[in-house]
Amino acid sequence: MNQKDTIRDLTGKLARCEGGAPGSRKKETGTTKNTMGDLSRTPTAETLTQLGQTLQSLKTRLENLEVRQYSRGNASAQATSLKDLLQTKIDDLEKQVLSRVNNLEEGKVNLKNETELRGKIESALTSLQQRITDLEKGQKESRPADKFQLTFPLRTNYMYAKVKKSLPEMYAFTVCMWLKSNASPGVGTPFSYAVPGQANELVLIEWGNNPMEILINDKVAKLPFVINDGKWHHICIAWTTRDGVWEAYQDGVLRGNGENLAPYHPIKHQGVLVIGQEQDTLGGGFDATQAFVGELAHFNMWDRKLTVGEVYNLATCSNKALTGNVISWAETNVEIFGGATKWTFDACRQIN
């Protein structure tokens, strides 16, 4: 049986098990926990399904690497050796996941052992993801640092990206990005910024059937965005602490504005900026139901309100477009975890 048949058989078994995992339990309410990097707290069979899908994604990337290397005739001994090592690691992970499937089918599940094994598999997946990314870098040396996107294919509480740089204290800001999603209900949380004592210092979220919202110091404004149509959209949110005035732009056009959003509250510094998850605690406490599903690119932030013309230049890929003076979109500024991936992306070529 070849690799694709193996993973197809694996995911088929997982699907048959889904919903029937012995010992599965509902999520406890009233408690919060730092789950940064944890596996999903969803039922065991569903978690295994997600692991199977992540493995399939990694295998596809590895196969693509092999095809590109040999089609260009530049397969070095070092790259080939690393590829073989990664393939062996994927095979081992498949065996572990398949073992859990068999235990599910036979009703042999020990919750303590299950949690430990899930943690080991997730750790291995993160390591594997990083090594494949390192291998791919050899093919991307000529790619500009900002020509990439983040992809979050599953709604989990362990797949996310972290911006290495924190924010300074700010009395105004503009945050802009490209988004693509067809998730329903709600695209989830494109980003969240938490500081000590306030998990909702700055959050962009579309949860359930609610409209997209911007939260500042736990105060909320509803935004007039419609973006879950599976197409790329450019969005910007600008805000100033004076009177809490805010503006919302979609595809370069002002779609809404308001005031009294956390007036005279400065955005605090020394926080954690996460892409793809909503934080309930500093740097963690992720909830799968609030996770972002889709693709995101060109996340930039400024410590002032951009003008209408500056926002339009960004949305239309003008050569006058600015890069963020607080956060600028560059691969070296963003770490990925839990199976989130980076792919080559050029908004101006792929959208216009």
Side-chain angles (χ1 to χ4, degrees):
M1 183 178 290
N2 63 31
Q3 295 170 353
K4 290 186 178 179
D5 289 337
T6 299
I7 202 71
R8 192 177 297 117
D9 179 67
L10 171 65
T11 52
K13 282 192 173 186
L14 291 170
R16 291 196 296 275
C17 291
E18 189 166 5
S24 63
R25 56 186 178 185
K26 294 183 179 179
K27 180 178 178 181
E28 296 179 2
T29 58
T31 60
T32 59
K33 180 184 177 184
N34 187 327
T35 57
M36 193 170 195
D38 282 3
L39 279 168
S40 173
R41 297 294 189 260
T42 51
T44 302
E46 184 177 342
T47 299
L48 289 172
T49 301
Q50 294 170 348
L51 288 174
Q53 291 171 332
T54 302
L55 282 170
Q56 176 63 72
S57 173
L58 292 175
K59 291 182 72 165
T60 299
R61 291 175 66 189
L62 203 55
E63 290 169 1
N64 288 339
L65 279 171
E66 185 176 19
V67 169
R68 290 171 189 165
Q69 284 176 346
Y70 283 94
S71 66
R72 297 174 183 175
N74 64 349
S76 67
Q78 182 181 9
T80 300
S81 175
L82 180 54
K83 180 191 73 63
D84 292 340
L85 178 63
L86 293 174
Q87 184 60 64
T88 299
K89 199 169 187 68
I90 288 177
D91 292 340
D92 289 342
L93 286 169
E94 281 183 356
K95 291 176 183 177
Q96 292 183 56
V97 176
L98 187 57
S99 172
R100 306 317 298 159
V101 173
N102 292 334
N103 285 340
L104 276 172
E105 292 178 332
E106 297 171 8
K108 300 176 182 177
V109 175
N110 181 295
L111 289 178
K112 181 179 179 180
N113 293 341
E114 181 68 20
T115 299
E116 291 177 357
L117 181 61
R118 285 161 58 190
K120 290 178 181 178
I121 291 176
E122 168 60 14
S123 177
L125 279 173
T126 299
S127 175
L128 181 61
Q129 154 73 27
Q130 186 58 54
R131 298 192 72 172
I132 290 180
T133 298
D134 290 342
L135 187 59
E136 289 172 331
K137 283 181 180 178
Q139 301 174 357
K140 300 175 181 176
E141 291 179 352
S142 61
R143 182 175 78 191
D146 64 336
K147 296 297 188 290
F148 76 102
Q149 67 176 56
L150 299 178
T151 299
F152 304 90
L154 303 171
R155 203 182 289 277
T156 74
N157 73 342
Y158 58 85
M159 192 176 292
Y160 66 101
K162 181 180 177 182
V163 178
K164 296 179 182 179
K165 183 179 179 182
S166 184
L167 303 182
E169 184 174 75
M170 296 188 296
Y171 294 84
F173 72 80
T174 302
V175 60
C176 299
M177 69 203 79
W178 286 96
L179 291 176
K180 179 182 178 182
S181 179
N182 58 4
S184 181
V187 302
T189 308
F191 79 92
S192 64
Y193 176 69
V195 298
Q198 179 53 274
N200 294 328
E201 182 67 5
L202 178 57
V203 183
L204 182 65
I205 183 171
E206 185 181 81
W207 188 25
N209 294 315
N210 299 312
M212 185 166 279
E213 298 173 334
I214 184 78
L215 283 73
I216 299 177
N217 192 33
D218 225 10
K219 307 300 186 295
V220 183
K222 297 185 184 302
L223 305 177
F225 293 149
V226 180
I227 59 173
N228 64 336
D229 56 3
K231 299 179 181 179
W232 282 103
H233 293 283
H234 186 264
I235 63 170
C236 287
I237 302 101
W239 171 88
T240 178
T241 186
R242 184 172 181 175
D243 296 326
V245 174
W246 61 268
E247 297 171 345
Y249 298 82
Q250 180 174 325
D251 300 323
V253 178
L254 180 64
R255 296 295 179 91
N257 55 60
E259 57 184 19
N260 202 35
L261 174 59
Y264 304 102
H265 170 81
I267 302 298
K268 297 178 181 177
H269 65 303
Q270 296 182 338
V272 176
L273 179 56
V274 168
I275 297 175
Q277 295 283 354
E278 192 273 338
Q279 304 171 68
D280 284 338
T281 59
L282 185 65
F286 304 149
D287 183 338
T289 64
Q290 297 175 327
F292 174 69
V293 180
E295 300 163 64
L296 183 150
H298 295 284
F299 182 96
N300 284 276
M301 183 175 288
W302 296 260
D303 58 3
R304 64 180 179 86
K305 287 181 64 179
L306 296 188
T307 66
V308 173
E310 288 172 332
V311 171
Y312 183 79
N313 287 341
L314 287 163
T316 56
C317 298
S318 166
N319 56 12
K320 297 179 181 179
L322 304 173
T323 56
N325 69 331
V326 174
I327 299 293
S328 60
W329 187 245
E331 284 201 63
T332 54
N333 293 343
V334 181
E335 294 179 286
I336 54 176
F337 301 89
T341 56
K342 293 179 181 179
W343 296 100
T344 299
F345 175 77
D346 187 337
C348 302
R349 283 189 179 182
Q350 297 191 29
I351 297 170
N352 293 341

